[in-house]
Amino acid sequence: MNKRLDSLDALRGFDLILLVVFEEFLWKLRPAVDASWFDSLMQHFTHKDWQGFSFWDLVMPLFMFMSGATIPYSLAKYRNGTGREGLNRRLARRFLLLWLLGMVCQGNLLGLDPQRIYLFSNTLQAIAVGYIFAAIIFLNTRIWTQVAIAVILLLAYWGAMEFVTIGGYGGGNYTPEGNLAEIIDRWVLGRFRDGAQVVDGAVVFANGYNYTWILSSLNFIVTVMTGVFAGEILKSSLAQRRKLVLLFAIGIAMALCGWLLNGIHPVIKRIWTSSMVLVSSGYCFLLTWLFYYWIDCRGHRRGLTLLKIYGMNSITAYVVSLVINFSSVSHSLLHGLETYVGAYYPALLMLSNAAIVFVILLILYRNKIFLRV
């Protein structure tokens, strides 16, 4: 029962392909297509401006959920207290590396400009926070205690947003400018908030940037913990049918609960509300159910290798795609086609860049090199 399921790697690979291939490709393609039907399609591949939930809003929660799903497989042997000598160091190193990689990807660390370095701004850092706390909770508590902690964290976030007021912010205000999570991020991160600059000695925050990280970390932990719950179900000795029932039922219940709460505690991904966590984690459970049923129960493995190539080196795929720009290589090879493809040329360059990343991942996969932090 310790062997990790193919469906987990495939689902992670599915998420990474969406994140590092489809997102940029569709946006590069949009000006060339310039059709109403494509604009309608893009609504599903665009984050909601504020309240609500789109298909694209699921990509980041699923990445975090899947990081939690691996915990029962990688850390279960340490639960009895033995062999933990180097575990704390390993967890701390994972946290630090994820945090630094997040700063490299989106914190402008490689810009070497002290005025443009941002501290907490990336999915990898949200995973770092969620993973280390979820791992500690998993190692030291039983399943129902874990569930209780997750519920308490959801309620703590909701209670803070509803009843805490700081300088006119909060107190049930869920607008982009007036919510509690927004002012906490401004006060804590200050100049180091994503997009913030110092102008004439004063911190000026980027217009339209309303993602929050500090208070939202409570629910980052819950998102990763819901992945832990799914992983524990899949790793258990329960019959396949029972696992499928649990995954499906929990997914439906969580999503339904989240949408029912939407009227009093809005579903807003940008500030990671508790209702959004329930909705997104519910959908993650349903995707886990679908992939587990189709791959591990029914044995359908056509195309599985492609997904595993991305899924088994997910952090590598994410970092390389965001940090290294292969446009010069692609343009050098394909510039002669620009005259013939016209407005489609940027999309063609993007596909070429993605192909280069894929070749790197394929070489790693075939040599059984799986880079982990």
Side-chain angles (χ1 to χ4, degrees):
M1 298 302 297
N2 290 327
K3 184 180 181 297
R4 199 160 77 192
L5 300 172
D6 286 335
S7 56
L8 293 179
D9 290 321
L11 182 53
R12 187 185 295 102
F14 168 75
D15 190 47
L16 263 294
I17 289 175
L18 288 175
L19 187 59
V20 305
V21 179
F22 271 87
E23 179 179 25
E24 188 176 355
F25 173 69
L26 290 174
W27 282 106
K28 296 290 186 184
L29 195 61
R30 187 178 188 182
V33 176
D34 192 23
S36 58
W37 67 266
F38 195 82
D39 290 339
S40 298
L41 173 67
M42 287 302 295
Q43 292 180 10
H44 301 287
F45 290 89
T46 304
H47 294 299
K48 287 289 186 180
D49 289 336
W50 192 243
Q51 187 172 349
F53 199 82
S54 70
F55 169 76
W56 204 248
D57 286 325
L58 185 60
V59 173
M60 179 178 171
L62 181 57
F63 199 179
M64 298 173 65
F65 179 93
M66 295 309 299
S67 73
T70 65
I71 287 177
Y73 290 89
S74 60
L75 299 183
K77 60 185 176 183
Y78 301 108
R79 295 189 78 173
N80 60 7
T82 61
R84 289 197 189 185
E85 293 78 11
L87 180 60
N88 291 336
R89 185 166 57 251
R90 172 182 159 191
L91 292 176
R93 182 181 62 191
R94 180 179 177 85
F95 175 88
L96 180 61
L97 286 175
L98 284 171
W99 197 277
L100 290 175
L101 287 173
M103 291 187 69
V104 167
C105 289
Q106 202 163 326
N108 204 30
L109 188 62
L110 297 181
L112 303 180
D113 182 355
Q115 296 301 316
R116 297 297 179 91
I117 290 177
Y118 307 121
L119 184 61
F120 197 172
S121 60
N122 185 263
T123 302
L124 295 182
Q125 294 164 326
I127 291 175
V129 172
Y131 183 90
I132 194 166
F133 282 99
I136 291 170
I137 293 167
F138 171 81
L139 288 167
N140 295 285
T141 62
R142 296 184 180 276
I143 181 62
W144 290 112
T145 304
Q146 297 168 29
V147 172
I149 291 173
V151 171
I152 289 170
L153 290 174
L154 291 171
L155 291 173
Y157 178 95
W158 167 78
M161 293 290 286
E162 283 289 325
F163 304 115
V164 176
T165 302
I166 300 177
Y169 291 81
N173 188 329
Y174 286 96
T175 63
E177 300 81 14
N179 68 84
L180 181 68
E182 173 71 18
I183 190 59
I184 289 177
D185 267 36
R186 291 190 177 195
W187 282 12
V188 174
L189 296 175
R191 211 284 304 148
F192 295 99
R193 191 183 188 196
D194 197 359
Q197 301 180 47
V198 177
V199 179
D200 297 327
V203 177
V204 178
F205 297 100
N207 290 329
Y209 182 86
N210 41 42
Y211 291 92
T212 60
W213 304 89
I214 304 301
L215 184 61
S216 300
S217 291
L218 294 176
N219 281 342
F220 293 158
I221 298 170
V222 179
T223 299
V224 177
M225 288 182 68
T226 58
V228 174
F229 302 150
E232 292 211 85
I233 291 171
L234 291 172
K235 188 176 179 294
S236 72
S237 58
L238 295 172
Q240 283 186 343
R241 183 179 178 85
R242 179 64 172 166
K243 292 178 184 180
L244 289 168
V245 170
L246 283 173
L247 290 171
F248 186 82
I250 292 172
I252 292 294
M254 292 183 73
L256 181 60
C257 183
W259 283 119
L260 288 174
L261 290 173
N262 182 51
I264 58 174
H265 183 61
V267 174
I268 306 172
K269 175 186 174 289
R270 289 174 180 257
I271 57 176
W272 220 264
T273 58
S274 298
S275 55
M276 193 286 298
V277 172
L278 291 171
V279 168
S280 60
S281 292
Y283 293 159
C284 289
F285 262 93
L286 292 176
L287 280 173
T288 304
W289 165 80
L290 178 63
F291 273 66
Y292 175 64
Y293 168 75
W294 188 252
I295 295 172
D296 292 306
C297 296
R298 294 296 301 274
H300 295 286
R301 286 176 164 76
R302 180 174 296 179
L304 184 61
T305 299
L306 173 64
L307 296 178
K308 292 180 72 173
I309 287 170
Y310 282 90
M312 297 182 75
N313 265 309
S314 57
I315 300 296
T316 305
Y318 180 79
V319 173
V320 170
S321 297
L322 288 185
V323 174
I324 303 177
N325 190 338
F326 295 102
S327 295
S328 295
V329 176
S330 299
H331 180 66
S332 297
L333 296 173
L334 303 174
H335 67 277
L337 295 175
E338 186 172 6
T339 302
Y340 302 99
V341 299
Y344 290 91
Y345 185 65
L348 179 63
L349 284 184
M350 186 274 141
L351 285 180
S352 176
N353 296 345
I356 293 172
V357 174
F358 173 75
V359 169
I360 294 172
L361 297 174
L362 178 61
I363 292 171
L364 293 174
Y365 179 81
R366 286 185 172 176
N367 288 278
K368 298 186 181 339
I369 299 173
F370 305 112
L371 303 179
R372 311 187 191 283
V373 297

